[in-house]
Amino acid sequence: MKKLLLLSILIVILAAFFASAHPDGLEKVAEHLGFMDKGIERSSLMTDYSVSLVPYEGISTALAGIIGVFICLGLFWGAGLLLKKT
Amino acid sequence: MHIPDGFLDPKISIGMLGAAVAVLAYSMAKVKESVTALAPQEAFAAVGKGVKNLAGQSRRILTKFGEQKIYKMGMVAALVFAAQMFNFPIAYGTSGHLIGGVLAVVLLGPFAGVLVIAAVLVVQALFFADGGLLVMGANIINMAFFGALLPYYIYAGLKRFIPEWLSIGAAAWCSVVMAALAASFEIGLSGTFALGAVLSSMLKVHIVIGIAEAAITVALVYMFRKLFGAKEKV
């Protein structure tokens, strides 16, 4: 399990530095056809996968990603613990 | 392929939200059934509770298998979240990223897989503003239902005739195309843009992205099985 967690974290770090910044399929289509502006920009705790406290873009994205990995993991492991108790 | 708020008509968004809740409730019931077992009534009698009091209320408890399964779901969720962050370039200044739906259902089975993809989508929308809130139901239907649950049956069906890796790849490609079609219909029927134009543009791009989805899914399935080790049957 540890190795799998490390794999996820490794992917996140690689993504933070090497992922393509181009729009994804849907965004590209929306831009191309001209309805991108109908989308409502929202902000959240870690908008655009970045932690605003960290000024370096790559590190900020990596950190946000690692937090996200642990949120996903925690969601299910927390549910598991709850189910175990009852 | 995360639809932001504003792309869809509220009526369609709400309808999709209802559909998503139905799919998730059913999946959750299915998963709960598989990770728990009926508690033997003697166990309650032993702690002083009269068996008579239990009439009609059968208690279910988490099994050892169930516990492992839930841990595995967490690992798959983490991996799908991570992999979705990795946008890879495809032609014409466009990128794509994994949906991971087939990855999840091949590793976990259809219903646990659906829950994992939905959980990842909810986390992305709530914490990262990736994908809208009102349209969350549409995103769950696109990527968890059309991108995971349905392609599971493509995978399971094909596996009987062709090698497993090939059926994983084929299901993964179909998952992206089906999710793209679903998103196109939602956008088109919302009157955001002409359905035909959205359909053809979305198809063109996602036929290519699907090839990457297939390759990455096959690689990650085998990597996951190898790293997860002996508990593979979970």
Side-chain angles (χ1 to χ4, degrees), chain A residues 7 13-14 20 26 28 53 56 77 79:
Chain A
L7 173 67
I13 293 172
L14 288 175
S20 165
L26 174 63
K28 185 71 183 181
L53 293 173
Y56 308 100
W77 289 25

Side-chain angles (χ1 to χ4, degrees), chain B residues 133-212:
Chain B
L133 293 178
L134 189 61
V135 297
M136 203 188 277
N139 281 326
I140 289 173
I141 289 297
N142 297 347
M143 286 179 272
F145 183 76
F146 288 108
L149 187 61
L150 280 194
Y152 172 81
Y153 297 100
I154 298 178
Y155 154 75
L158 285 177
K159 203 171 68 164
R160 286 185 285 167
F161 307 106
I162 57 175
E164 194 194 11
W165 67 270
L166 211 54
S167 50
I168 295 172
W173 184 83
C174 291
S175 75
V176 174
V177 173
M178 291 195 296
L181 285 177
S184 306
F185 272 103
E186 288 150 13
I187 292 167
L189 295 177
S190 292
T192 308
F193 203 84
L195 176 61
V198 178
L199 263 177
S200 72
S201 308
M202 282 292 278
L203 261 184
K204 252 180 244 162
V205 182
H206 288 94
I207 280 171
V208 183
I209 295 179
I211 297 170

Side-chain angles (χ1 to χ4, degrees), chain B residues 65-147:
Chain B
F65 163 87
E67 200 184 329
Q68 291 296 330
K69 176 94 178 188
I70 291 176
Y71 289 158
K72 188 178 179 186
M73 287 169 77
M75 286 306 331
V76 176
L79 183 61
V80 167
F81 176 88
Q84 285 206 3
M85 275 182 72
F86 209 129
N87 282 61
F88 44 82
I90 59 167
Y92 316 117
T94 309
S95 73
H97 65 78
L98 195 79
I99 296 178
V102 171
L103 175 65
V105 293
V106 167
L107 292 172
L108 296 166
F111 300 106
V114 164
L115 291 186
V116 161
I117 298 301
V120 169
L121 292 172
V122 170
V123 167
Q124 287 169 331
L126 291 186
F127 292 92
F128 300 92
D130 192 6
L133 293 178
L134 189 61
V135 297
M136 203 188 277
N139 281 326
I140 289 173
I141 289 297
N142 297 347
M143 286 179 272
F145 183 76
F146 288 108

Side-chain angles (χ1 to χ4, degrees), chain A residues 4-5 8 12 19-20 22-25 28 33 35 38-40 42 44 46 48-49 64-65 73 76-77 84 86, chain B residues 1 5-7 59 67 70-71 74-75 79 81-82 87 92-95 124-128 130-131 192-193 224:
Chain A
L4 272 172
L5 182 58
S8 301
V12 160
S20 165
H22 286 307
D24 78 359
K28 185 71 183 181
L33 297 179
F35 62 87
K38 293 205 178 172
I40 298 163
R42 275 192 312 119
S44 180
M46 292 169 278
D48 283 334
Y49 298 87
L73 200 63
F76 285 95
W77 289 25
K84 209 175 160 184
T86 52
Chain B
M1 204 189 298
D5 280 321
F7 272 22
R59 288 208 52 179
E67 200 184 329
I70 291 176
Y71 289 158
M75 286 306 331
L79 183 61
F81 176 88
N87 282 61
Y92 316 117
T94 309
S95 73
Q124 287 169 331
L126 291 186
F127 292 92
F128 300 92
D130 192 6
T192 308
F193 203 84
F224 190 100

